[in-house]
Amino acid sequence: MIQDGRIQHLLPLSLTAFLLLGTSRLILDSLKSNRTTIFRQHKKQKAVFVLPEDRFEEECNVFEGQWVWDNVSLPFYTEQTCPYLVKQTTCLTNGRPDAFYHNWRWKPNQCNLPRFDPLKLLDILRGKRLMFIGDSVQRGQFESMVCMLQSVIPQGKKSFHRTPPMKIFKAEEYNASIEYYWAPFIVESISDHATNHTVHKRLVTLDSIAKHGNTWLGVDFLVFESYVWWMHNPLINATYGSVDEIKEYNVTSAYKLALETWAKWLDSNINPLKQKVFFMSMSPTHLWSWEWRPGSDENCFNESYPIEGPYWGTGSNLKIMKIVADVLLQLKINVTLLNITQLSEYRKDAHTTIYGERKGKLLTKEQRSDPKNFADCIHWCLPGVPDTWNHILYSYLMRDHRNFS
């Protein structure tokens, strides 16, 4: 009887232990399973975790520094590994004999740019749109960014579409897109056609931006640029108010009115809690070699090394720089100015010169033999300087990203 009592007493304890063991096993199996709701949600959203080494120090000015030789970590890609480059930028394929311009890395004076990690950037862009807006210089930056990312995306998981005035690259698994929108003056003009935009007399509508702006609505990251097209002549034809009243404006006055129109659009249409806006400062030109080599009478052709020491060429307009700074200060929302002008000023060696296109066609043998008249000292070879612009843009995206707690 005593033994039976003990058995009866032990049965509930055994049953309880069995139930606890079974429940624990179920919980552990559930946590390990890739099919649990928690895992599926994590896999679907995949939160990005930015480490301290992914950010540059807040007090560091990444735009002050020097170019250092680096044939280990650069270039990020090659002409052969990126199928999205246009002939305008593929200098080696077009016959350039040297590739030194591939291997100069920008080194800020007070810090280091974080290592560029394409997978981490794709995670930040997950479910989002990054759009570059501007002229052909900005198109080069767009192509650079696509090339810097596309190699880590498997075949069949990426696509590239041209829908003028746009180009769109998509990373399918990330539901992310990198886009380019042709708007050489930011505001509307008669040069807004994606391919047929070379006109004898340019005409800009200084107070009209809605047509462009409709495409920019809701874009998560907007990167604007506009400079070279304004500098064709000291005066520019434009309208302001009445579209029937065409006047000649001083370029700097017209640029200020256009940027104010853009600023009004931003203040009315950008949600600063969901969107980030960047503005690229002017991309310098290197049209006159006497500026860095006194006594010469050439241009950027046949240059293989950066300029050393302090340098500011006449191809970069200080009045335009001040207008940009003043307009950004007046904005209600925050726009990050990426001041790449000075660092790019040193790179007289990195332009396409005679190894690019003119009016959509590669230069002829006769044109190449006359670099003084036909060298392009505006656009940049790729890989090249625009990769550094994107590395800096990447650094700001890393800096501004907030980890989930």
Side-chain angles (χ1 to χ4, degrees):
M1 291 294 292
I2 296 174
Q3 187 176 9
D4 291 343
R6 288 177 179 173
I7 293 172
Q8 289 177 354
H9 178 71
L10 290 172
L11 277 175
L13 293 175
S14 300
L15 183 60
T16 301
F18 178 78
L19 288 173
L20 285 172
L21 181 63
T23 303
S24 300
R25 182 63 182 269
L26 285 172
I27 292 172
L28 287 171
D29 288 344
S30 179
L31 288 173
K32 290 179 182 178
S33 173
N34 287 2
R35 292 183 295 274
T36 63
T37 303
I38 294 174
F39 185 88
R40 286 201 306 271
Q41 289 176 346
H42 173 72
K43 188 174 181 181
K44 186 176 180 180
Q45 296 174 2
K46 195 175 181 182
V48 189
F49 193 79
V50 177
L51 301 171
E53 57 263 33
D54 294 323
R55 309 181 198 268
F56 62 87
E57 294 86 345
E58 289 284 345
E59 65 276 7
C60 178
N61 183 350
V62 298
F63 306 109
E64 292 182 355
Q66 61 182 323
W67 292 96
V68 297
W69 181 255
D70 182 352
N71 59 358
V72 177
S73 65
L74 294 177
F76 293 116
Y77 57 92
T78 66
E79 293 179 16
Q80 290 71 33
T81 60
C82 185
Y84 305 109
L85 293 174
V86 298
K87 289 181 179 179
Q88 187 181 42
T89 60
T90 52
C91 298
L92 289 183
T93 300
N94 299 339
R96 178 163 175 161
D98 74 289
F100 295 150
Y101 62 93
H102 284 177
N103 297 112
W104 292 102
R105 175 171 55 83
W106 179 248
K107 170 68 174 68
N109 289 332
Q110 299 173 331
C111 62
N112 290 307
L113 292 176
R115 184 181 68 86
F116 181 80
D117 186 337
L119 289 173
K120 191 156 284 190
L121 180 54
L122 283 168
D123 276 338
I124 281 183
L125 295 178
R126 186 181 295 274
K128 294 181 170 60
R129 299 168 65 193
L130 167 64
M131 184 184 289
F132 294 90
I133 298 144
D135 55 28
S136 53
V137 172
Q138 188 74 333
R139 184 177 63 219
Q141 187 177 357
F142 156 77
E143 290 171 0
S144 161
M145 180 61 88
V146 170
C147 290
M148 289 169 75
L149 288 177
Q150 66 87 29
S151 64
V152 298
I153 305 171
Q155 291 295 333
K157 301 295 184 181
K158 52 191 171 185
S159 62
F160 193 96
H161 302 286
R162 294 173 178 85
T163 53
M166 295 184 69
K167 292 184 176 184
I168 302 171
F169 173 83
K170 288 189 176 181
E172 308 293 348
E173 284 188 318
Y174 292 85
N175 187 29
S177 67
I178 302 167
E179 307 172 21
Y180 166 72
Y181 184 92
W182 169 265
F185 295 100
I186 294 185
V187 293
E188 294 164 24
S189 74
I190 61 172
S191 296
D192 287 340
H193 192 278
T195 55
N196 186 23
H197 46 245
T198 303
V199 294
H200 180 62
K201 278 198 172 184
R202 297 171 182 181
L203 177 62
V204 181
T205 310
L206 298 174
D207 58 345
S208 183
I209 202 171
K211 182 181 176 183
H212 294 330
N214 287 337
T215 308
W216 309 337
L217 290 171
V219 175
D220 302 277
F221 304 103
L222 292 159
V223 186
F224 291 92
E225 174 271 344
S226 184
Y227 175 63
V228 170
W229 276 66
W230 292 94
M231 308 311 292
H232 184 63
N233 286 310
L235 300 175
I236 190 168
N237 289 321
T239 64
Y240 190 86
S242 172
V243 293
D244 298 319
E245 188 178 349
I246 300 173
K247 293 168 49 179
E248 272 194 336
Y249 285 77
N250 180 282
V251 160
T252 52
S253 300
Y255 189 89
K256 183 175 185 293
L257 290 171
L259 226 57
E260 287 173 346
T261 297
W262 167 76
K264 290 176 184 176
W265 185 90
L266 291 178
D267 278 336
S268 299
N269 294 279
I270 294 297
N271 181 347
L273 298 178
K274 296 182 178 180
Q275 297 167 280
K276 291 186 183 299
V277 182
F278 299 87
F279 191 91
M280 307 297 301
S281 68
M282 66 188 71
S283 171
T285 61
H286 294 88
L287 303 174
W288 302 283
S289 63
W290 55 263
E291 294 186 338
W292 61 84
R293 194 168 61 250
S296 62
D297 186 25
E298 299 170 9
N299 52 35
C300 67
F301 173 68
N302 212 26
E303 297 283 355
S304 296
Y305 298 94
I307 297 169
E308 294 183 9
Y311 173 78
W312 188 272
T314 56
S316 297
N317 190 305
L318 288 171
K319 289 183 179 179
I320 294 292
M321 292 283 283
K322 187 176 186 308
I323 289 169
V324 171
D326 290 345
V327 170
L328 295 189
L329 282 175
Q330 295 167 13
L331 276 163
K332 297 175 185 175
I333 67 163
N334 179 53
V335 173
T336 302
L337 175 66
L338 299 183
N339 191 358
I340 53 84
T341 305
Q342 178 65 86
L343 67 90
S344 305
E345 281 278 9
Y346 302 127
R347 296 303 306 276
K348 62 178 171 56
D349 60 302
H351 292 287
T352 56
T353 68
I354 62 171
Y355 307 108
E357 290 183 321
R358 175 169 286 207
K359 296 181 179 179
K361 294 182 180 180
L362 292 174
L363 269 62
T364 64
K365 185 177 180 180
E366 291 74 20
Q367 289 172 327
R368 289 190 177 193
S369 66
D370 185 13
K372 189 169 182 179
N373 289 311
F374 288 96
D376 181 348
C377 298
I378 296 173
H379 297 95
W380 306 90
C381 299
L382 291 177
V385 170
D387 302 334
T388 295
W389 303 345
N390 281 325
H391 195 176
I392 291 172
L393 172 61
Y394 165 87
S395 302
Y396 272 87
L397 292 174
M398 289 293 114
R399 189 198 69 173
D400 296 341
H401 180 76
R402 295 293 171 260
N403 294 320
F404 292 106
S405 56

